[in-house]
């Protein structure tokens, strides 16, 4: 092993080639090229095969990273794919959009002075290769089970659960209020981070595996939760969080100020070929505009980079803390800066100016004060530090909260936490309603795709335990 691995001393870290910023600004294609076979093997061989792999511990899916790196270094790609797909339903998606700097790669223990193994890019390479070579096949369960499971939400949590349950032979029906499968993978995250075909080929695989999809079906409006409970042996709620946080500042109701997700959804729909009146009218289109995005998370980063690609005149990101204290990935900030986005750190909106349409954002400078209970420094306004920034499109990217699900689903007995996320018993993953489980952002609050996959997989296991227990009890009664 030592011969082939442990190459981090002599082989420098290399990511796949990144397209030049000037070219990236003109299209919505992904920004990284794929690894070539020898490059992937060379990078995988940098791993020192730790006895206690911190990369694996800090991956929410506990992917068997050192083993699939070794298999890749040895050119045994089909085995690498089998290992990688055993713990992750969407390795090629996580390889593209996980914030690896905070998860696996950020915890790679390669000695200081040498940089971490490029785990995400190798993971993406393995599964992209598997797709190209036809190794990714529809599920054929060893035995069919009669029980059906209804899943509400076709985002990563719902889809991971659907795949796992189908593997066990359950009849799986997924309901979603959108017209497409994928949740935020399709309508939130832009194409330049995750090309839509990557999500759509996963949808096709699930359909070919006989998972059925009921789209344009809003549970609560088109069908009730009670009806689903009667229709299925178990129900899983994986509806995500969509209520955008707002800003309480004068002028926030002016035209030209929009929630970030409306803007990103319009752009994604346009990219998918839909007719989008708000995009075509220019309302949710940055072309030729001075754009100000408020927020410092992943959604804000996606907005600024989308605006650049739509041909905005200028794009600024306003964030009330500094670069070191922003929630978004540092890698994304770097990409945005390369693409021409200007970051206005330590600044907060105080008012929006304009007649009917916004023309300026009145900002105030911020000083970071003493840490609060969460340990984060408290932003404090600096008196008389106002600056007006020109803007004819302002996007609010301040995060998301859950909707009032018990009301929306006419299920007053569905228990929620103080944050309005669904309350579950963490051992069984069941909500307060018998046979109704929950997973993903609707339980955690706005989180990450990799956590949604983890939750979906865990929930599938718990649903199986619940249904297997019921089947056993029924068999006992029948035998008596
Ligand atoms: P979702 O993906 O939100 O899916 C929920 C689904 O439920 C949706 O399809 C919705 O239509 C459906 N639904 C909701 N209510 C109903 C109802 N009543 N009836 C029927 N269907 C319903 N994470 C990363 O790891 N990396 C990133 O780079 C990243 N970028 C992001 C960028 C943006 C703009 C946003 C908003 C989020 C980003 N995230 C990222 C977070 C990630 O997308 C989410 O954590 C993840 O998608 C949550 O998965 P989920 O399945 O719980 O919910
Ligand atoms: Fe890293 Fe995400 Fe892959 Fe885990 S799933 S190994 S955190 S890129
Ligand atoms: Fe390899 Fe780094 Fe993981 Fe160690 S921590 S097993 S060197 S990838």
């Amino acid at each position: 092993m030592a011969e082939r691995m442990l190459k981090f001393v002599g082989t420098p870290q290399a990511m796949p080639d990144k397209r030049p910023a000037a070219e990236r600004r003109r299209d919505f294609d992904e920004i990284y090229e794929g690894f070539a076979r020898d490059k992937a093997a060379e990078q995988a061989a940098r791993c020192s095969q730790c006895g206690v792999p911190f990369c694996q511990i800090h991956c929410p899916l506990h992917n068997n990273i050192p083993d699939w790196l070794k298999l890749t270094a040895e050119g045994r790609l089909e085995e690498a794919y089998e290992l990688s797909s055993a713990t992750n339903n969407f390795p090629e998606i996580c390889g593209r959009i996980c914030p690896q700097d905070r998860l696996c790669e950020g915890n790679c223990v390669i000695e200081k002075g040498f940089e971490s193994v490029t785990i995400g890019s190798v993971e993406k390479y393995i599964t992209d290769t598997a797709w190209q070579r036809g190794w990714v096949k529809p599920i054929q369960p060893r035995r069919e089970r009669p029980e059906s499971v209804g899943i509400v939400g076709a985002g990563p949590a719902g889809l991971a659960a659907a795949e796992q349950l189908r593997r066990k032979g359950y009849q799986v029906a997924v309901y979603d209020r959108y017209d497409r499968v994928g949740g935020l993978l399709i309508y939130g995250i832009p194409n330049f981070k995750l090309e839509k075909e990557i999500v759509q080929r996963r949808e096709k695989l699930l359909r070919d595996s006989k998972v059925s999809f009921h789209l344009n079906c809003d549970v609560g409006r088109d069908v009730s939760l009670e009806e689903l409970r009667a229709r299925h042996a178990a129900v899983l709620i994986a509806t995500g969080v969509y209520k955008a946080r707002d800003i309480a500042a004068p002028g926030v109701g002016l035209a030209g100020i929009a929630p970030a997700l409306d803007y990103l959804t319009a752009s994604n729909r346009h990219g998918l070929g839909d007719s989008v009146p708000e995009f075509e009218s220019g309302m949710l289109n940055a072309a030729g505009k001075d754009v100000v995005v408020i927020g410092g998370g992943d959604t804000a980063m996606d907005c600024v980079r989308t605006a650049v690609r739509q041909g905005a005149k200028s794009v600024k990101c306003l964030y009330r803390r500094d670069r070191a204290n922003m929630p978004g990935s540092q890698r994304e900030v770097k990409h945005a800066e390369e693409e021409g986005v200007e970051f206005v750190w330590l600044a907060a909106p105080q008012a929006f100016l304009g007649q009917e349409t916004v023309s300026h954002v009145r900002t105030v400078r911020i000083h970071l004060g003493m840490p609060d209970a969460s340990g984060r420094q408290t932003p404090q306004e600096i008196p008389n530090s106002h600056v007006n920034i020109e803007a004819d499109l302002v996007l609010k990217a301040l995060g998301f909260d859950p909707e009032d699900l018990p009301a929306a689903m006419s299920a007053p007995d569905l228990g929620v936490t103080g944050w309005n996320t669904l309350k579950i018993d963490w051992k069984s993953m069941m909500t307060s309603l018998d046979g109704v489980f929950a997973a993903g952002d609707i339980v955690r609050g706005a989180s990450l795709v990799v956590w949604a996959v983890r939750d979906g997989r865990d929930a599938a296991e718990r649903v199986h335990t619940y249904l297997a227990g019921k089947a056993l009890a029924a068999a006992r009664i029948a035998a008596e």
Side-chain angles (χ1 to χ4, degrees):
M1 179 271 281
E3 233 174 65
R4 206 180 284 275
M5 303 303 286
L6 284 161
K7 294 287 171 63
F8 66 88
V9 182
T11 310
Q13 185 197 56
M15 290 290 286
D17 289 340
K18 187 158 72 162
R19 297 193 294 128
E23 182 188 313
R24 275 150 42 195
R25 285 172 58 99
R26 291 197 296 266
D27 63 44
F28 280 79
D29 296 345
E30 284 184 10
I31 70 168
Y32 284 107
E33 312 284 353
F35 266 140
R37 187 187 177 115
D38 51 348
K39 204 72 195 162
E42 184 186 277
Q43 286 298 305
R46 293 181 70 245
C47 169
S48 62
Q49 298 285 288
C50 302
V52 181
F54 281 93
C55 55
Q56 179 168 0
I57 294 167
H58 288 271
C59 164
L61 291 160
H62 301 312
N63 280 343
N64 197 341
I65 299 165
D67 283 6
W68 47 251
L69 286 173
K70 184 165 176 284
L71 290 167
T72 306
E74 292 170 353
R76 293 157 65 189
L77 282 179
E78 193 163 357
E79 289 162 86
Y81 161 68
E82 263 160 31
L83 203 57
S84 146
S85 59
T87 51
N88 189 353
N89 301 76
F90 313 124
E92 75 284 24
I93 295 180
C94 292
R96 282 171 165 84
I97 60 169
C98 268
Q100 286 102 6
D101 45 352
R102 284 189 266 143
L103 300 170
C104 52
E105 293 179 17
N107 289 282
C108 173
V109 296
I110 278 185
E111 272 111 288
K112 231 181 156 31
F114 302 96
E115 286 171 295
S116 64
V117 179
T118 50
I119 300 167
S121 307
V122 176
E123 190 178 22
K124 166 180 171 244
Y125 167 76
I126 294 168
T127 311
D128 280 350
T129 307
W131 278 99
Q132 280 158 19
R133 306 244 181 120
W135 301 334
V136 187
K137 301 233 170 61
I139 302 161
Q140 285 184 324
R142 241 175 284 157
R143 62 171 271 217
E144 290 290 345
R145 293 177 197 266
E147 300 100 325
S148 75
V149 181
I151 297 179
V152 189
L159 296 182
E163 183 171 321
Q164 294 303 103
L165 286 163
R166 189 65 199 120
R167 280 187 193 289
K168 289 189 190 296
Y170 290 105
Q171 313 308 310
V172 182
V174 183
Y175 301 81
D176 202 291
R177 63 183 173 193
Y178 281 154
D179 54 346
R180 286 190 175 90
V181 169
L184 288 172
L185 300 178
I186 200 95
Y187 284 141
I189 298 172
N191 212 62
F192 51 82
K193 274 166 61 182
L194 175 64
E195 285 176 0
K196 300 303 162 206
E197 300 86 73
I198 308 286
V199 183
Q200 285 166 332
R201 71 184 176 189
R202 283 282 167 192
E203 172 190 348
K204 181 170 182 313
L205 188 79
L206 286 170
R207 286 186 189 275
D208 291 347
S209 307
K210 298 201 166 49
V211 169
S212 65
F213 287 97
H214 305 262
L215 300 178
N216 297 307
C217 178
D218 188 318
V219 176
R221 191 193 61 197
D222 301 316
V223 59
S224 72
L225 185 60
E226 272 319 295
E227 279 173 82
L228 291 192
R229 289 179 79 192
R231 204 178 285 174
H232 301 287
V235 173
L236 172 68
I237 302 179
T239 47
V241 291
Y242 284 87
K243 199 169 101 190
R245 293 191 191 132
D246 213 341
I247 306 171
V252 73
L254 288 168
I257 304 178
L261 196 56
D262 291 3
Y263 169 74
L264 291 173
T265 305
S267 173
N268 277 316
R269 279 192 179 283
H270 174 73
L272 283 157
D274 292 356
S275 153
V276 188
E278 302 84 358
F279 180 87
E280 282 137 25
S281 69
M283 206 169 92
L284 291 179
N285 185 344
K289 292 183 181 167
D290 290 309
V291 179
V292 172
V293 177
I294 300 169
D298 283 334
T299 306
M301 294 310 104
D302 289 350
C303 286
V304 289
R305 298 180 65 205
T306 297
V308 164
R309 284 159 174 78
Q310 288 179 346
K313 195 153 89 186
S314 72
V315 184
K316 292 189 177 63
C317 180
L318 208 67
Y319 183 53
R320 63 190 183 142
R321 297 175 197 267
D322 56 10
R323 188 186 192 118
N325 286 291
M326 68 180 298
S329 154
Q330 293 297 325
R331 196 179 54 182
E332 295 298 307
V333 178
K334 193 161 163 267
H335 293 154
E337 281 179 332
E338 289 166 1
E339 290 163 9
V341 173
E342 187 188 326
F343 284 84
V344 188
W345 306 112
L346 296 165
Q350 227 187 15
F352 299 95
L353 314 176
Q355 293 303 319
E356 281 175 12
T357 304
V358 67
S359 64
H360 291 84
V361 182
R362 185 175 166 84
T363 67
V364 60
R365 301 297 301 165
I366 296 289
H367 159 77
L368 289 181
M370 297 299 286
D372 63 14
S374 71
R376 295 186 84 195
Q377 286 178 281
T378 326
Q380 292 167 350
E381 293 189 0
I382 302 174
N384 304 318
S385 62
H386 304 110
V387 177
N388 288 347
I389 299 180
E390 264 183 273
D392 36 23
L393 178 62
V394 175
L395 299 169
K396 299 176 286 185
L398 296 129
F400 303 93
D401 290 314
E403 293 157 73
D404 183 351
L405 224 51
M409 291 192 172
S410 310
D413 295 336
L414 193 58
V416 293
T417 67
W419 293 275
N420 247 357
T421 48
L422 282 188
K423 197 189 266 179
I424 56 167
D425 171 85
W426 279 96
K427 213 162 152 227
S428 67
M429 293 186 79
M430 209 188 300
T431 64
S432 52
L433 301 178
D434 182 52
V436 178
F437 298 76
D441 279 6
I442 190 58
V443 175
R444 273 177 197 279
S447 180
L448 293 172
V449 168
V450 64
W451 278 114
V453 174
R454 166 72 195 269
D455 290 351
R457 294 173 68 90
D458 286 351
E461 262 322 305
R462 305 304 188 281
V463 168
H464 173 58
T465 306
Y466 169 80
L467 292 178
K470 275 183 92 166
L472 199 65
R476 273 204 199 114
I477 292 168
E480 275 165 16

